[in-house]
Amino acid sequence: MNPADVEKLFEGIPRKKICFLPTPLHKLENLSRIYGVDIYIKRDDLTGPNPFGGNKTRKLEFIFANALQENIEYFISPGGYQSNSCMQLVTFCRIFGIKPILYLADVINQGVPDEYKGNLLLDKIMGSEINFVLKDYEGPNINPLWNKMMDLCNKRKEELQKKGYKVRVLPSGVVDPEGLISYVLAFKEIFEQGECKGLKFDYLYHTTGTGGSLPGLIAGKILLDSDVKIISIACNPYGPNDICSEDIICDRTETIFKKLNVEIPERSNIFNEIHIDQNYFGEGYGIPTDEATLAIQELAREEGIFIDPVYTGKGFSGLLDHIRKGKIPLGSKVVFLHTGGSGALFSEVGLTGALTEK
């Protein structure tokens, strides 16, 4: 297929166009010179409609189109205190007159915050109902906490439905079948923008958490027969007993092909496109690492661009480390997908003490 063919697959699929698209793609000139690799950045932090966009906004265009057709009155969703996903959901709710309810988890044993900062402050400014869920056990595994939040979300849904309201619950990361297709179009954008610049990218790096963007990237790569290698840097554990798994990524990718009414590839072909590096999330989800802090600092001091300690900082630290270790050969062309989250820089999560003088 070519990009025009991919675009046609979306004809007739409900969508509320809010994003500022296409988001910019530009070269990181200083870092490219320092590392001997052509590093580009895809600015999905600029999806809009406010300065703190991100990858969920693309998904929500499709999710809300269906929600409005169904006359949904409440959206309920879980996340961490600094969930960029929840903040973007609240943004859409306010635009379209749907009431947002959040259940936000204390993933790093901070207790109930005594002050609203970062994305949590943005949620508060927009008037979302916020419920705090405390972690009542030891250890970095967040699955029990996520299950607890989903139970609370579903219980609240039942209460509201008994009162006659139409309610939807979106899981963490707004990972919903309606929104999965959005990153097929994002991949198409990257593909087209590269072609316009005369570029053929060797690698596409991004941070993966709940696994809602990777399936669309894989589907886009397969549909456009691209040679780019997609590398996912995990910001939390991936595995059979974790929040996501390679089998789940395959299932979601197959769902995209079904939604677009395209023949589903052999499962082995999808599986072979999954490359998730779990060496950079540190002690666990939401816990800053020294490596991410240094990557945030380096990108800001060399290029004036901000990434966050929860998601993109860990992803970008993985990209730079791969270059240093020779996993990305000198002279390669790499694009890093900036999926947002910079609001968390101004939060209680903060950075580690790894900032250096220069």
Side-chain angles (χ1 to χ4, degrees):
M1 285 189 181
N2 60 40
D5 294 328
V6 172
E7 189 72 37
K8 287 180 181 178
L9 297 176
F10 287 79
E11 292 178 357
I13 297 178
R15 179 182 179 190
K16 296 297 292 187
K17 294 186 178 181
I18 295 297
C19 293
F20 302 153
L21 302 177
T23 55
L25 184 147
H26 59 94
K27 188 176 183 180
L28 301 178
E29 296 285 357
N30 294 329
L31 287 178
S32 296
R33 184 177 63 253
I34 291 168
Y35 284 95
V37 169
D38 290 337
I39 308 173
Y40 289 77
I41 189 165
K42 175 64 170 169
R43 300 297 301 275
D44 266 20
D45 58 318
L46 302 178
T47 51
N50 62 47
F52 300 99
N55 59 329
K56 314 306 180 188
T57 302
R58 290 184 185 265
K59 302 175 175 68
L60 290 166
E61 286 193 333
F62 294 94
I63 293 169
F64 268 72
N66 284 279
L68 292 170
Q69 289 180 351
E70 297 169 7
N71 297 313
I72 295 297
E73 297 169 274
Y74 283 89
F75 262 115
I76 308 175
S77 192
Y81 284 179
Q82 288 303 317
S83 169
N84 205 48
S85 167
C86 287
M87 184 276 294
Q88 290 170 81
L89 172 61
V90 175
T91 301
F92 265 70
C93 283
R94 287 316 181 201
I95 290 171
F96 293 110
I98 297 176
K99 297 179 179 66
I101 299 175
L102 303 180
Y103 284 85
L104 301 182
D106 174 17
V107 296
I108 53 177
N109 298 316
Q110 299 164 281
V112 174
D114 55 9
E115 190 176 0
Y116 289 85
K117 299 178 182 179
N119 283 323
L120 185 57
L121 175 60
L122 300 179
D123 296 334
K124 187 70 172 178
I125 290 172
M126 288 187 284
S128 175
E129 178 186 319
I130 299 171
N131 302 279
F132 297 112
V133 182
L134 300 181
K135 187 169 175 231
D136 53 7
Y137 60 91
E138 297 297 325
N141 185 3
I142 61 174
N143 287 340
L145 184 58
W146 250 240
N147 292 336
K148 179 181 179 181
M149 283 195 296
M150 281 303 295
D151 288 344
L152 290 168
C153 289
N154 287 319
K155 181 180 179 182
R156 186 65 179 281
K157 176 184 176 181
E158 291 175 6
E159 292 172 353
L160 289 167
Q161 285 179 327
K162 287 179 181 178
K163 295 179 180 179
Y165 294 108
K166 292 188 176 181
V167 187
R168 277 188 66 181
V169 172
L170 284 176
S172 179
V174 299
V175 179
D176 184 276
E178 292 166 358
L180 290 174
I181 59 175
S182 63
Y183 262 81
V184 174
L185 291 175
F187 187 92
K188 181 183 78 76
E189 271 184 32
I190 295 170
F191 185 90
E192 289 180 307
Q193 288 171 317
E195 282 193 329
C196 286
K197 296 175 183 291
L199 297 170
K200 187 176 181 182
F201 292 112
D202 301 299
Y203 301 93
L204 190 164
Y205 273 72
H206 76 119
T207 311
T208 186
T210 51
S213 299
L214 178 55
L217 294 174
I218 292 172
K221 169 182 162 59
I222 292 172
L223 287 170
L224 289 166
D225 194 26
S226 169
D227 293 329
V228 71
K229 186 172 184 178
I230 300 170
I231 306 293
S232 309
I233 305 296
C235 65
N236 49 251
Y238 266 65
N241 299 315
D242 293 308
I243 196 170
C244 209
S245 69
E246 292 177 340
D247 283 335
I248 290 174
I249 296 299
C250 286
D251 290 343
R252 291 173 180 170
T253 307
E254 290 173 348
T255 296
I256 291 171
F257 281 95
K258 290 177 186 176
K259 180 77 172 175
L260 296 177
N261 198 26
V262 177
E263 183 180 353
I264 300 172
E266 292 289 334
R267 193 173 180 91
S268 60
N269 292 340
I270 297 173
F271 190 85
N272 290 338
E273 299 294 346
I274 301 174
H275 309 282
I276 300 173
D277 191 329
Q278 302 194 61
N279 291 308
Y280 299 95
F281 61 74
E283 295 180 34
Y285 174 78
I287 303 174
T289 65
D290 288 350
E291 294 79 10
T293 296
L294 291 173
I296 290 167
Q297 173 184 276
E298 187 168 7
L299 182 60
R301 293 186 178 183
E302 297 297 341
E303 305 288 351
I305 297 171
F306 297 103
I307 48 180
D308 80 291
V310 179
Y311 306 101
T312 47
K314 293 183 178 182
F316 202 71
S317 73
L319 165 59
L320 295 182
D321 195 49
H322 282 194
I323 296 174
R324 295 186 194 106
K325 291 178 176 176
K327 293 182 179 180
I328 300 175
L330 294 178
S332 297
K333 292 177 172 57
V334 183
V335 58
F336 178 76
L337 178 57
H338 187 341
T339 48
S342 55
L345 279 170
F346 311 100
S347 71
E348 74 281 352
V349 173
L351 304 174
T352 68
L355 289 170
T356 63
E357 295 298 326
K358 189 174 181 180

